[in-house]
Amino acid sequence: MDLQEKIQFLASCDTSFLADALIRLGQSDRMHELTVDTSLCAPLNREDHFAGVAVPVQFGIAKPGQKTWNLFDLISSSPPGTVFVMNGCGDRCYTGDVYAKYAKLAGMGAFVVAGMIRDVKDIAKCGLPVFCKGGTTAAKGGQGAKIVSFDQPVQFYHMTVNPGDILVGDCDGLIRIPPELLDDVIFQAEDIKKLEEAYTQVFLEGTDVLRRLREIGAQKDVIRR
């Protein structure tokens, strides 16, 4: 699979499948740095789900003469499917409906925000997956935070997001897949997804349920290439 095909597969997986894949790969002790739960960052629409390449966007108060970036320009120049991971505005909003609608039109994958947004109702309708802590009326203001860093590592709560990380989100939260683990995660997740589909079939058929669930569960250990 090329990268786009890998991302499409990840977009078909629940984040729980991917977390189990990481655990199979011995990453259990790293869950704190690879996941963020919905108490901190949740989808505006419960059914929203995305997978894409992360591009960190850091906001801050610019020093005199410091280079800053415009969000419209960054959206325009980003490949389709890009996931902007935004940090630095604190309790003020990072984005409103105009930016989100433009990002949707440009084919972006998602906005993931370490904090607040505004225009919640219109953003929820625009079709772009947006994950955030909540809504606020507090704008950044004319002298407020600007984009002071782009495509550089950013601290997203307790998770450091690096350029090129793969980020996946759904109603359980966010999961970060470092590029060096991507192929192994997909290999394990393909098997886990089949097992979960088998569980679903057992419940649909409703016969000899407990025995069959245990048989499927016995297959959940790591598989080898």
Side-chain angles (χ1 to χ4, degrees):
M1 291 189 285
D2 63 21
L3 179 58
Q4 188 56 43
E5 290 171 328
K6 293 173 185 178
I7 288 173
Q8 287 175 353
F9 171 76
L10 294 174
S12 74
C13 293
D14 293 344
T15 54
S16 59
F17 300 175
L18 304 177
D20 287 349
L22 285 164
I23 290 169
R24 278 186 171 191
L25 295 169
Q27 303 297 312
S28 181
D29 291 343
R30 297 183 65 196
M31 284 296 107
H32 187 69
E33 63 180 270
L34 295 175
T35 64
V36 170
D37 65 37
T38 56
S39 69
L40 296 173
C41 192
L44 280 185
N45 295 309
R46 185 173 178 81
E47 300 304 317
D48 277 351
H49 187 278
F50 74 88
V53 178
V55 173
V57 179
Q58 179 69 46
F59 288 81
I61 303 301
K63 298 175 183 178
Q66 182 178 4
K67 180 178 180 179
T68 61
W69 286 261
N70 177 276
L71 189 55
F72 282 126
D73 293 338
L74 295 182
I75 293 169
S76 297
S77 61
S78 296
T82 297
V83 175
F84 275 1
V85 181
M86 305 180 191
N87 184 48
C89 283
D91 292 334
R92 290 180 176 266
C93 78
Y94 289 73
T95 188
D97 65 317
V98 175
Y99 288 118
K101 290 174 180 176
Y102 184 65
K104 172 63 178 176
L105 187 66
M108 291 201 70
F111 280 173
V112 178
V113 175
M116 307 296 186
I117 63 168
R118 68 175 186 172
D119 306 322
V120 170
K121 179 177 67 175
D122 287 335
I123 291 178
K125 294 177 182 178
C126 81
L128 179 77
V130 175
F131 284 57
C132 62
K133 192 172 184 179
T136 181
T137 57
K140 292 188 290 294
Q143 301 301 316
K146 308 290 185 183
I147 297 173
V148 296
S149 175
F150 174 70
D151 208 23
Q152 299 294 320
V154 70
Q155 194 64 33
F156 191 87
Y157 298 112
H158 49 264
M159 179 169 70
T160 301
V161 179
N162 302 296
D165 283 345
I166 306 300
L167 207 62
V168 186
D170 63 15
C171 60
D172 283 332
L174 302 168
I175 192 157
R176 177 177 72 88
I177 304 174
E180 66 271 17
L181 293 178
L182 179 58
D183 288 344
D184 288 333
V185 167
I186 288 175
F187 184 75
Q188 299 299 331
E190 287 175 328
D191 181 63
I192 292 168
K193 189 176 181 183
K194 291 176 184 176
L195 295 178
E196 294 294 336
E197 290 168 352
Y199 279 135
T200 298
Q201 188 62 34
V202 168
F203 286 115
L204 287 173
E205 294 174 3
T207 57
D208 204 7
V209 172
L210 185 56
R211 179 187 64 80
R212 294 171 65 193
L213 291 178
R214 285 173 170 164
E215 288 176 350
I216 296 167
Q219 304 173 54
K220 294 196 76 171
D221 289 337
V222 63
I223 58 172
R224 305 295 178 186
R225 289 183 182 275

Short mmCIF file of all heavy atoms in Angstrom, two decimals, residues 40 59 67 78 110-111 116 149 172 193:
data_model
loop_
_atom_site.label_atom_id
_atom_site.label_comp_id
_atom_site.label_asym_id
_atom_site.label_seq_id
_atom_site.Cartn_x
_atom_site.Cartn_y
_atom_site.Cartn_z
N LEU A 40 -10.26 15.95 26.97
CA LEU A 40 -9.42 17.07 26.53
C LEU A 40 -9.71 17.50 25.10
O LEU A 40 -9.60 18.68 24.78
CB LEU A 40 -7.94 16.69 26.66
CG LEU A 40 -7.43 16.41 28.07
CD1 LEU A 40 -6.00 15.90 28.01
CD2 LEU A 40 -7.52 17.66 28.94
N PHE A 59 0.48 28.58 17.83
CA PHE A 59 0.11 29.98 18.01
C PHE A 59 0.89 30.56 19.19
O PHE A 59 1.32 29.85 20.10
CB PHE A 59 -1.39 30.11 18.30
CG PHE A 59 -2.28 29.83 17.11
CD1 PHE A 59 -2.59 28.53 16.74
CD2 PHE A 59 -2.81 30.87 16.37
CE1 PHE A 59 -3.42 28.27 15.67
CE2 PHE A 59 -3.64 30.62 15.28
CZ PHE A 59 -3.94 29.31 14.93
N LYS A 67 8.69 36.17 12.30
CA LYS A 67 7.88 35.69 11.19
C LYS A 67 6.60 35.06 11.72
O LYS A 67 6.62 34.32 12.71
CB LYS A 67 8.64 34.68 10.35
CG LYS A 67 7.84 34.15 9.16
CD LYS A 67 8.64 33.17 8.32
CE LYS A 67 7.81 32.65 7.15
NZ LYS A 67 8.58 31.71 6.29
N SER A 78 -1.41 23.36 1.72
CA SER A 78 -1.27 22.03 2.31
C SER A 78 -1.90 20.96 1.42
O SER A 78 -2.95 21.20 0.81
CB SER A 78 -1.93 21.99 3.69
OG SER A 78 -1.26 22.86 4.59
N ALA A 110 -8.72 17.39 8.75
CA ALA A 110 -9.31 17.71 10.05
C ALA A 110 -8.58 18.89 10.67
O ALA A 110 -7.43 19.19 10.30
CB ALA A 110 -9.25 16.51 11.00
N PHE A 111 -9.24 19.56 11.61
CA PHE A 111 -8.62 20.48 12.55
C PHE A 111 -8.65 19.80 13.92
O PHE A 111 -9.71 19.33 14.36
CB PHE A 111 -9.40 21.79 12.66
CG PHE A 111 -9.15 22.79 11.57
CD1 PHE A 111 -9.92 23.94 11.51
CD2 PHE A 111 -8.16 22.61 10.62
CE1 PHE A 111 -9.71 24.89 10.51
CE2 PHE A 111 -7.95 23.55 9.61
CZ PHE A 111 -8.73 24.71 9.57
N MET A 116 -10.09 25.77 22.48
CA MET A 116 -11.45 26.16 22.12
C MET A 116 -11.58 26.60 20.66
O MET A 116 -10.62 27.01 20.03
CB MET A 116 -11.90 27.31 23.02
CG MET A 116 -11.75 27.04 24.50
SD MET A 116 -12.82 25.69 25.05
CE MET A 116 -12.54 25.77 26.82
N SER A 149 4.82 29.29 14.53
CA SER A 149 5.59 28.12 14.12
C SER A 149 4.68 27.21 13.32
O SER A 149 3.51 27.04 13.65
CB SER A 149 6.14 27.38 15.35
OG SER A 149 6.79 26.18 14.96
N ASP A 172 -13.79 8.08 20.59
CA ASP A 172 -13.02 7.61 21.75
C ASP A 172 -11.81 8.50 22.03
O ASP A 172 -11.21 8.40 23.10
CB ASP A 172 -12.54 6.18 21.54
CG ASP A 172 -13.65 5.15 21.75
OD1 ASP A 172 -14.57 5.44 22.54
OD2 ASP A 172 -13.58 4.08 21.14
N LYS A 193 -9.10 -6.01 13.24
CA LYS A 193 -10.37 -5.63 12.62
C LYS A 193 -11.18 -6.86 12.23
O LYS A 193 -12.40 -6.91 12.42
CB LYS A 193 -10.10 -4.75 11.39
CG LYS A 193 -11.35 -4.13 10.78
CD LYS A 193 -10.99 -3.21 9.64
CE LYS A 193 -12.25 -2.57 9.07
NZ LYS A 193 -11.95 -1.70 7.90
#
